[in-house]
Amino acid sequence: MNSNKRPNAKAAAAHAAGMTDRAVFNALKAVFIDGAFCAQAITKALKTLPDARAHAFVTSAFYGVLDKNVRLEKLIAGLCEKSPDKTAAVVLKIGMYYLRYADMPEYAAVNRVVELSKHVGAYSGFINAVLKRSIGFEPQFVGAMDKFTYEHNAPEWFCRALIADYGETRAAALLDAELPAKTHIRPVAGRMTRESFDAAMRQVGELTEYGCYCDKKATERLDEGSYAVQALSSVRAVHAYVKGLTGGSVLDLCAAPGGKSILVSELGKFKVTACDIYPHKIELMRGYAKKLGARVSLRLNDATVKNDAFVGAFDLVVADCPCSGSGTFRTKPDVLIKRKPSDLAELTALQYKILDTAAEYCKAGGILCYSTCSIFKCENEDVTQKFLQNHKEYGLLDTVKLLPDSDRCDGFYIVRFKREGA
């Protein structure tokens, strides 16, 4: 082979870096400009990369920019006389992330992002000038709250809500909580014992009381269908639902994507009816239950509307309601980007309506569970108190609250009420 025709190593490296940077940009553009969900955006972007070795960098940069978004926006505001257009803003966020948080020389970070700007329609001269000015730049703050939001990388409304509920010190601890970056999985009962699961995963992951944090490659040690991907907070919630129970009829009113219903079916002699309002989610749950060999009855049902067939029919009713997702902000940054403070009033009204309807479905002596993946008291304790005030036929049985800083998992709230009569 003629040596003159061999690919120039430097050019090949630049080409690979360019593809990687464009994948980061495309994923972030999908979130910030097109309104896509984070998981969907990164999955689509990774498919454009022929070299799987770039996946780790793209994923890290994508979630890194999202995690530092409030801080990056504050820097851009301080460096630019007027707000840049949406495309330039995304490019600048990538550049400032590379400069401040990536293991990359400053000149390389600037050069890469300037080159990126040429491919995505941002004015490269502007990008180059702002990035160079950003080196060593520190923003000015207007009041303590402005500084608090910058230091803890969360929108002002979110910070204020947490401070109101927990105080400033605990709010800061919640916002700064570090959670395992890997995926949590658990063994599927009847297909794999806990002992064999632990033996397989002990050297490749971090064991928990119910499963393991590990990466995708580690799951290759396990047979497909012998494990389920399920957040530790979700598994803990299910164990809280069935505490002290060994069986009975169970109704899960907001069951999609189905992981909690399936786990309930594994934990005792439970006959589970799982519901959702959307037909396509019922089909997704059907496929998931089949994959894991779970016996779960699926029903199309609107949780806000009384279903006469359900009245007084269940030993355990679970209302795991739609919520702000504020407890998942560390693992699902969509919450800090898409949610607005005005959403909370609408959500709490929906949550109470579902819980109020669910109260009809418990047998005498039965247990009603209310849960959210929120850490805001307006969605948790306040809904609980309103329910108890309006439903004297129920008494408070117990409450579990998981918080990121103390429980090393997403935030979750579970309260159980017992219906009088047994």
Side-chain angles (χ1 to χ4, degrees):
M1 180 178 178
N2 190 325
S3 61
N4 292 330
K5 294 183 179 180
R6 290 176 184 166
N8 181 283
K10 188 174 181 180
H15 176 71
M19 288 190 67
T20 299
D21 296 335
R22 287 194 290 277
V24 175
F25 172 82
N26 288 336
L28 290 168
K29 173 183 176 293
V31 173
F32 287 122
I33 300 178
D34 303 331
F37 287 102
C38 296
Q40 296 170 337
I42 188 62
T43 299
K44 184 177 180 180
L46 292 178
K47 290 179 179 177
T48 67
L49 296 171
D51 186 351
R53 288 177 297 181
H55 287 199
F57 177 86
V58 172
T59 303
S60 177
F62 172 73
Y63 282 107
V65 170
L66 295 175
D67 181 57
K68 305 295 184 185
N69 183 54
V70 170
R71 184 171 292 181
L72 296 173
E73 289 189 342
K74 178 69 174 177
L75 292 171
I76 291 171
L79 287 160
C80 300
E81 291 184 6
K82 62 179 182 178
S83 298
D85 63 52
K86 292 179 180 180
T87 297
V90 174
V91 174
L92 286 173
K93 288 178 184 180
I94 295 170
M96 291 183 191
Y97 178 81
Y98 284 1
L99 283 167
R100 291 177 179 247
Y101 305 105
D103 185 15
M104 190 181 299
E106 290 177 351
Y107 73 89
V110 173
N111 289 344
R112 282 177 64 160
V113 176
V114 168
E115 192 63 28
L116 170 66
S117 69
K118 298 174 183 177
H119 288 274
V120 301
Y123 179 48
S124 60
F126 170 73
I127 298 298
N128 182 55
V130 174
L131 289 182
K132 286 183 175 178
R133 286 204 309 272
S134 76
I135 298 171
F137 174 80
E138 292 299 330
Q140 299 297 309
F141 302 108
V142 182
M145 181 54 65
D146 192 27
K147 185 177 182 181
F148 186 91
T149 62
Y150 179 83
E151 290 178 341
H152 302 290
N153 285 297
E156 182 175 329
W157 75 269
F158 197 90
C159 293
R160 288 189 182 280
L162 287 184
I163 291 171
D165 285 349
Y166 298 94
E168 186 172 323
T169 300
R170 187 69 189 276
L174 290 168
L175 291 167
D176 295 342
E178 293 291 335
L179 301 184
K182 296 183 178 180
T183 300
H184 189 266
I185 65 172
R186 64 169 184 84
V188 174
R191 292 191 170 180
M192 191 174 203
T193 65
R194 183 61 202 261
E195 291 73 23
S196 58
F197 177 88
D198 286 358
M201 305 307 291
R202 182 172 286 110
Q203 301 303 317
V204 294
E206 178 189 343
L207 295 179
T208 68
E209 74 268 38
Y210 296 122
C212 178
Y213 283 108
C214 65
D215 57 26
K216 186 175 181 180
K217 185 172 179 57
T219 63
E220 294 173 1
R221 293 170 170 250
L222 308 175
D223 293 333
E224 187 174 359
S226 68
Y227 70 93
V229 175
Q230 190 166 7
L232 180 57
S233 58
S234 174
V235 180
R236 285 173 169 167
V238 174
H239 280 266
Y241 296 157
V242 302
K243 180 182 177 182
L245 305 176
T246 57
S249 55
V250 181
L251 177 65
D252 189 348
L253 284 167
C254 308
K260 295 186 184 72
S261 292
I262 290 171
L263 181 53
V264 169
S265 74
E266 296 177 30
L267 294 179
K269 295 180 179 180
F270 296 105
K271 184 179 179 181
V272 180
T273 300
C275 304
D276 198 85
I277 193 173
Y278 299 110
H280 74 278
K281 291 188 177 182
I282 293 291
E283 292 309 309
L284 286 173
M285 288 194 289
R286 194 183 311 281
Y288 191 39
K290 183 178 180 181
K291 177 183 177 181
L292 300 184
R295 293 187 177 182
V296 176
S297 175
L298 300 170
R299 294 283 298 272
L300 191 65
N301 181 72
D302 183 344
T304 66
V305 178
K306 181 180 175 181
N307 186 328
D308 291 335
F310 292 167
V311 173
F314 296 92
D315 299 297
L316 172 64
V317 176
V318 176
D320 184 42
C321 293
C323 69
S324 66
S326 58
T328 67
F329 73 94
R330 297 302 303 164
T331 54
K332 296 179 182 177
D334 303 84
V335 174
L336 300 181
I337 296 168
K338 295 179 180 293
R339 283 293 179 203
K340 307 180 295 295
S342 58
D343 293 339
L344 295 178
E346 182 179 339
L347 285 166
T348 53
L350 175 62
Q351 289 153 2
Y352 185 79
K353 190 171 185 179
I354 291 173
L355 184 58
D356 186 53
T357 304
E360 300 260 16
Y361 302 151
C362 273
K363 296 178 180 178
I367 293 174
L368 172 60
C369 296
Y370 170 69
S371 63
T372 73
C373 55
S374 173
I375 53 176
F376 292 147
K377 291 185 178 180
C378 64
E379 297 182 84
N380 297 331
E381 289 89 346
D382 291 355
V383 173
T384 295
Q385 290 305 312
K386 182 177 179 180
F387 178 80
L388 288 170
Q389 289 169 5
N390 295 332
H391 288 271
K392 302 303 182 183
E393 74 276 25
Y394 280 92
L396 180 65
L397 186 59
D398 52 37
T399 304
V400 174
K401 192 168 190 178
L402 305 173
L403 293 170
D405 62 331
S406 57
D407 297 293
R408 209 160 176 262
C409 67
D410 286 332
F412 222 100
Y413 176 84
I414 309 101
V415 59
R416 299 198 303 171
F417 310 98
K418 186 168 184 178
R419 188 166 193 169
E420 295 180 358

